[in-house]
Amino acid sequence: MSMKHAWLVFLVALVVVLPVRLYQLFALMEEDTGFLNGGTATTAVLVVVLLLAFAAIVVISKGSKRMPAGYTPLRSIPTAVLSGLTGALLLVNSVSNIFIYSVQINGTAPSGESTTPAGVIGLAMAIVGILAAFAIFLAAYGFATGTNPVGEHPLVALLPAVWGCICLVLLFISYTAVVNVSENVYDMFAVVLLLLFLFAQAKFFAGVEGEKSGRMLAATGLPAALLALLTSVPTLLMAVLGRTVPGLFPAGLHLVNLCMACYILSFLFAARKLPAGVSAAIRTPEEEN
């Protein structure tokens, strides 16, 4: 099997689960409680299709014979644009969150004697998010010029993954304080998959575990994009239409996730051009010629 089959699985799963999710939120969700009214069958469909799609993509990615063994400079204008837009949205969201969480901390503890864990972690996430945004800008520059500036600074490549880790901790703290609903579970797993992709991409850029990292990119990237689209598109559509947005995940981060999902798909599509076998970083001059 080849990665074309993984893309086919992704597209089929998206065509199935996105309409089902839209039907759940617009027809079955009670806006005053956020719970689904009689959505057992549709939830079962979503869970089964997502699990089957994730498993199939992982199996295909692990068994595909043609996978890039390492990252070579890749020039892709669509990927550069989507990467830059993701960084811009993350930067705006992080800057605004600095003010939000600063007010929360100061309002909770005006004398500085105590602060809420969520407020402190949220402020840390916002600060790291600004750094992660500049790392994404650097990647966008590399895609636009056909260079690999992120790979030359491996620690910089890890900043988006670190931001994702802090975001996951903040979500866990926030979700344990409220009654759990399915939206929170979907959002949590979307962040987990995006985090795994960002970590695999950081290793791929840095030339660490070349072929293994390349397979992990596909194995985590397509599921991450699928779940990010499933959670962000319906939620943002509800916000635009003035409907009550389910779950606790901020609309700003949904917008970041939507753009990041498009960036992942563009990157994976462009990465199919990368040569399989020995990466350019370790080729001999004779092999280059």
Side-chain angles (χ1 to χ4, degrees):
M1 291 185 292
S2 68
M3 285 307 299
K4 292 181 180 179
H5 297 94
W7 279 94
L8 181 60
V9 171
F10 166 81
L11 292 175
V12 171
L14 183 62
V15 169
V16 173
V17 298
L18 190 55
V20 173
R21 187 62 179 154
L22 289 170
Y23 171 74
Q24 279 189 333
L25 295 183
F26 282 91
L28 301 180
M29 192 190 76
E30 298 177 351
E31 293 198 42
D32 53 340
T33 63
F35 291 98
L36 300 179
N37 183 14
T40 304
T42 54
T43 299
V45 171
L46 284 178
V47 172
V48 171
V49 173
L50 288 174
L51 289 178
L52 290 176
F54 293 169
I57 291 172
V58 170
V59 170
I60 294 172
S61 301
K62 296 297 183 182
S64 179
K65 295 181 179 179
R66 191 188 183 283
M67 295 294 291
Y71 183 72
T72 56
L74 178 67
R75 188 173 188 271
S76 172
I77 299 302
T79 306
V81 171
L82 290 170
S83 178
L85 183 58
T86 301
L89 292 173
L90 178 58
L91 180 62
V92 172
N93 183 267
S94 298
V95 171
S96 63
N97 281 343
I98 285 181
F99 294 100
I100 293 173
Y101 286 111
S102 297
V103 170
Q104 178 181 339
I105 291 174
N106 293 331
T108 304
S111 62
E113 295 177 356
S114 63
T115 56
T116 62
V120 174
I121 295 175
L123 183 59
M125 185 185 78
I127 295 173
V128 176
I130 294 176
L131 300 177
F134 283 106
I136 296 175
F137 286 144
L138 192 61
Y141 173 79
F143 293 131
T145 59
T147 58
N148 185 21
V150 178
E152 298 173 1
H153 306 86
L155 293 180
V156 174
L158 285 173
L159 286 173
V162 174
W163 171 80
C165 287
I166 301 175
C167 180
L168 194 59
V169 173
L170 181 61
L171 290 178
F172 180 78
I173 293 175
S174 301
Y175 291 168
T176 54
V178 298
V179 177
N180 194 24
V181 294
S182 58
E183 286 72 23
N184 294 337
V185 177
Y186 293 137
D187 293 336
M188 180 75 77
F189 276 100
V191 173
V192 170
L193 290 171
L194 289 172
L195 172 59
L196 292 175
F197 171 82
L198 291 173
F199 184 66
Q201 188 182 56
K203 294 199 300 181
F204 193 58
F205 282 153
V208 178
E209 299 178 344
E211 185 174 353
K212 182 179 179 181
S213 298
R215 293 184 184 278
M216 282 298 296
L217 278 176
T220 60
L222 289 177
L226 177 60
L227 203 51
L229 291 173
L230 180 66
T231 55
S232 61
V233 172
T235 303
L236 292 173
L237 185 58
M238 293 185 74
V240 170
L241 296 177
R243 300 284 296 272
T244 301
V245 176
L248 299 176
F249 203 72
L253 286 182
H254 273 302
L255 191 58
V256 173
N257 282 359
L258 174 61
C259 193
M260 188 174 293
C262 296
Y263 157 66
I264 290 173
L265 295 176
S266 178
F267 172 74
L268 292 178
F269 186 77
R272 78 193 193 283
K273 300 178 182 178
L274 294 177
V278 182
S279 67
I282 59 176
R283 288 177 182 167
T284 64
E286 291 79 6
E287 291 173 324
E288 291 286 346
N289 298 324

